[in-house]
Amino acid sequence: MTIRYDGQVAIVTGSGQGLGRCHAIELAARGAKVVVNDLGGATDGTGGSSEAALAVVAEIEAAGGEAIANGANVAKFDEVEAMVQQAMDKWGRVDILINNAGILRDKSFAKGSLDDFKMVVDVHLMGTINCTKACWDIMRQQEYGRIVVTTSSSGLYGNFGQTNYGAAKLGVVGAMNTLVQEGAKYNIKVNALAPTAATRMTEGLMPQEALDLLVPEKVTPAVLYLVSEEAPTRTILCAGAGGYSVARMIETEGVYLPEGQQTPEAIAANWDAITDPAGERALQAGGEQGFKFVAKAAEALGITGE
């Protein structure tokens, strides 16, 4: 099976350099028409230039593909709406959205400012929401859509000095979990990519030997799969250095504590049973947690559904 995107239109944010550039070029090589979006700023979000996006468009066109450049700031919804309208005016549809744009303002929580925190959340979380919102009705009406949000191991597991980044990156996973439910009947699939790659945002964080292995080209195949027609949905696919894995949020089976034992002391006494991994599973919707607890209580109390 060869995965292609002939006749499809893709928007890739932050695609002037690094991972986004790689995603855009490979999508175009496989038949997609691509909106190369990039504000062209520095890694901290300051400044702006159209040169990077135009260079990627030129590269795609030189290889026989079709692409247009766009300099929208994903944190500004009016600019995002105009970007999506540009794609609709040019090609009449939007099939694929890859939310890749991002910035870094790393500092420990004690030293970081709230302005920097808000800026990172605005770009990573609200930027993802803005772009997804601008494409959502189009995808619903055409009954087809493939959306990727870009999360991070910093959001999934934490990373010193990245409270702002981690909060935003786990936030997009929360958005994905509900979007998959609301988009299911419209054939809209939403997935998350957790990449590890050597880009402008990782320079100086790892030794050169590691960076040489962590090229963006090793990550892009994961994105291409997540936006394919046969893609999964609600999946966090991790990729880096040629390695691929899936991250899951799981919940233990837990225990029911009877009346009189529903205290912090009893929780402490039963901590081993509460945290026992036997029977743990990934829940598929928030309501499953409530049903589980009610079922445990009903069984313990002898309550039947009759």
Side-chain angles (χ1 to χ4, degrees):
M1 178 188 71
T2 299
I3 293 177
R4 291 193 58 84
Y5 313 94
D6 300 295
Q8 295 189 356
V9 176
I11 296 174
V12 185
T13 68
S15 52
Q17 301 187 57
L19 284 167
R21 171 187 169 275
C22 223
H23 302 340
I25 288 173
E26 191 58 31
L27 281 166
R30 290 173 178 258
K33 300 174 177 65
V34 183
V35 177
V36 178
N37 162 260
D38 202 282
L39 179 62
T43 56
D44 65 357
T46 57
S49 168
S50 60
E51 291 182 9
L54 289 170
V56 176
V57 169
E59 192 171 350
I60 288 172
E61 290 177 340
E66 193 171 349
I68 55 176
N70 180 278
N73 181 343
V74 297
K76 298 181 178 180
F77 187 60
D78 60 336
E79 294 186 18
V80 169
E81 282 187 305
M83 172 181 68
V84 174
Q85 189 59 53
Q86 181 187 13
M88 292 297 290
D89 291 343
K90 178 75 172 177
W91 295 307
R93 60 186 298 116
V94 176
D95 302 279
I96 294 167
L97 169 65
I98 298 175
N99 291 292
N100 171 76
I103 64 170
L104 287 179
R105 294 198 174 182
D106 292 355
K107 280 187 179 179
S108 69
F109 191 66
K111 295 180 180 178
S113 71
L114 288 178
D115 285 342
D116 280 351
F117 197 107
K118 185 177 184 300
M119 175 65 74
V120 171
V121 170
D122 281 348
V123 173
H124 288 277
L125 178 54
M126 287 310 304
T128 293
I129 297 303
N130 288 340
C131 294
T132 301
K133 180 67 172 175
C135 295
W136 193 252
D137 284 346
I138 294 168
M139 292 180 173
R140 277 167 40 109
Q141 289 165 12
Q142 66 194 21
E143 295 189 346
Y144 186 90
R146 298 292 182 266
I147 299 172
V148 167
V149 304
T150 302
T151 184
S152 168
S153 57
S154 296
L156 298 174
Y157 312 116
N159 195 37
F160 189 93
Q162 291 193 319
T163 308
N164 48 21
Y165 183 75
K169 285 306 192 183
L170 195 55
V172 301
V173 173
M176 174 193 75
N177 288 338
T178 293
L179 287 171
V180 296
Q181 298 175 35
E182 297 185 9
K185 70 177 182 179
Y186 302 102
N187 192 22
I188 301 174
K189 295 182 178 181
V190 189
N191 293 287
L193 173 75
T196 302
T199 67
R200 289 190 304 163
M201 292 174 64
T202 58
E203 287 177 0
L205 299 179
M206 296 180 180
Q208 189 58 47
E209 293 80 5
L211 296 177
D212 290 342
L213 295 173
L214 294 169
V215 293
E217 287 80 4
K218 303 289 188 180
V219 172
T220 291
V223 176
L224 297 184
Y225 174 61
L226 292 179
V227 298
S228 66
E229 188 170 349
E230 301 302 322
T233 196
R234 201 175 187 243
T235 299
I236 304 171
L237 183 56
C238 312
Y244 306 92
S245 61
V246 167
R248 295 189 178 99
M249 187 171 292
I250 59 173
E251 184 168 324
T252 64
E253 181 60 26
V255 300
Y256 171 78
L257 298 179
E259 293 288 343
Q261 294 186 40
Q262 295 166 12
T263 65
E265 292 80 8
I267 290 174
N270 287 276
W271 191 246
D272 286 347
I274 292 170
T275 60
D276 186 349
E280 66 187 11
R281 58 195 175 97
L283 304 183
Q284 298 305 304
E288 290 184 28
Q289 184 187 74
F291 285 129
K292 180 183 72 173
F293 287 148
V294 168
K296 283 184 176 296
E299 181 182 8
L301 297 172
I303 300 172
T304 67
E306 299 176 0

